[in-house]
Amino acid sequence: MNISITKTTTPKAKPTMDNLPFGKYFSDHMFVMDYAEGKGWYDPRIVPYGPLELEPSAMVFHYAQEIFEGLKAYKSKDGHVRLFRPYKNFERMNVSAERLAIPALDVDFCVDALKQLVELDRDWIPEQEGASLYIRPFIIATDEYLGVRPSDTYKFLIICSPSGLYYPEGLDPVKIYVEDKYVRTVRGATGFTKTGGNYASSIKAQVIAHERGYSQVLWLDGVEQKYVEEVGSMNIFFKIDGEVVTPMLNGSILSGITRMSTIELLKKWGVPVSERRISIQEIFDAYQAGKLEECFGTGTAAIISPVGELRWEDHVMTINDNQIGEITQRVFDTITGIQTGTMPDEMNWVVTVD
Amino acid sequence: MNISITKTTTPKAKPTMDNLPFGKYFSDHMFVMDYAEGKGWYDPRIVPYGPLELEPSAMVFHYAQEIFEGLKAYKSKDGHVRLFRPYKNFERMNVSAERLAIPALDVDFCVDALKQLVELDRDWIPEQEGASLYIRPFIIATDEYLGVRPSDTYKFLIICSPSGLYYPEGLDPVKIYVEDKYVRTVRGATGFTKTGGNYASSIKAQVIAHERGYSQVLWLDGVEQKYVEEVGSMNIFFKIDGEVVTPMLNGSILSGITRMSTIELLKKWGVPVSERRISIQEIFDAYQAGKLEECFGTGTAAIISPVGELRWEDHVMTINDNQIGEITQRVFDTITGIQTGTMPDEMNWVVTVD
């Protein structure tokens, strides 16, 4: 399919590109493609960024048949534009699509469309160290119909948001609240996908955690509320007695691309790492035994987020004296180095746009 | 707050009002009201039905912070317009709102707005016996922002869809598939609310059930996958050995208004009825013992839907010889009689518009 390009005739004034907030400003263009049953995906186009016009009966407003992805483009010092493992995002988007009864995308085509979009809006990529163009592909159901069934029509879009450092004041350890009342999801449901409902369900617990002074919640499994699953928008890793452990992919947690990259790096470095079931009691026992050495979250937005405090019921666990751990720092430096081009890309993770 | 009214200058051609499909056509007007943090709900207005213009970054497209309701308006033989327990819908909408971190509505104001809208579009209420104007109130998050947090802005809308009989060929018993792989939700999550994510999560199992020849799935609980919860868009009732039983409200099933009305009617009639935990094994045991006498679903769309067959793993349970049971028929006749005005409204459930 050929992608038609309509350039804006009224480029927007760019915001100050230093210390940009996350996900608030959007670049001049967006990619759009439609789907109709019997016709497939059609009319791929890059057009000026602008509003969608949808009937109030559009299914996305009622039954949340919607999925999304998130990835970043960086401009390296030599001016090249770099994407981090973009094929993985569109492969995962197809996993989400399958669970949500949404038609699949052609992964190669999507990466190509993304490259064209980012190339066109390359002036929107902030050059401040660690800043990036956050890229948000998403699909919404657009049938004008109130029955509960898969939509026959969809829109796929990619929008781009220049975003500053996730932690403008540096990589400070965050405080995480272990959620023991609310549940995010359960095996058999949609926890392994990036669908809106998982996030809608998570908002209330997050609001309460914020009020208590915690930046995010750590979810426990939906069946027994005993096993660690993931943090609000990140996967979670622990270093216990020299071994790095992270919850296994059990159908209710997201298969994060930063998670995957972290595991691959640790294996390459010869650091013991395992994916398995981890109870919160085990974490607390390790803490009490002085063996909980590091804890960090992984996700596209923050990349690596050191955890300095975990609160579980009445137990407050201060980790590594609230300092960034050695492995945490090394993973952060390596992934951001590869993303921005200051370190060699030995794993072939980066796709350059130009 | 005063509701401004802008009447359409180009009324739509009405579809043939006999045997209308469900949720496909929409009346000439809609109610809209906006919310902004610090300002509250504002600018309530009835305007011509038409598209919404939203930025692609609007939170509803990404994190599904959205809730809805469903109720019906009937025109009785003497021309009066009747709503069935509308206060219950807006009270429940506030329960959904609280869980989804959406600001509450003023229930009395909403019923008043709904009356004005339905009065204006009263010619859109089909007069065929059993047909109605299906009413869909809904709220969507509209912040133009990609962070995961409650939106600071929302839109509340009410749209109306003239809809025919849910079962145009009469009240035929349906076949239901007991879902043992996929899970809809779990206690601690959003199962008791009417939020899009619950429905998005349900679509795939429903597609598979359809392919197997079943009209809907019966969900089991998310923890043990043993206890009966609800059907795709209905609550479920069983008559076992003379007693009517329905799953108790446990936090993961919807508190249906037709469910509530059914229980109230049964109590009034002196029919034994209990809300409790019911395992699918208990249902199967009762079936094998010849004591599973009736089964029916309750919901706004279908009102009462007799179940003629339940399939659980390899067990096929044919209920009441695939005929409508006596209690099922009586509940259906009474609720629809009250809704349409052919039976006295002894419970004061009906609110007339004019």
Side-chain angles (χ1 to χ4, degrees), chain B residues 34 71 86-87 116 123 196 202 219 231 234-235 248 250 290 309:
Chain B
D34 296 296
L71 71 162
Y87 293 93
Q116 293 191 43
D123 290 347
S202 79
W219 297 104
V231 173
M234 299 190 291
N235 293 111
M248 61 194 289
N250 60 353
E309 181 181 318

Side-chain angles (χ1 to χ4, degrees), chain A residues 52 54 60 66 98 204 222, chain B residues 52 54 66 98 187 204:
Chain A
L52 301 177
L54 292 172
V60 66
E66 61 186 57
E98 203 272 336
K204 189 176 172 69
Chain B
L52 302 177
L54 292 172
E66 60 184 59
E98 202 273 335
R187 52 95 188 82
K204 189 177 170 68

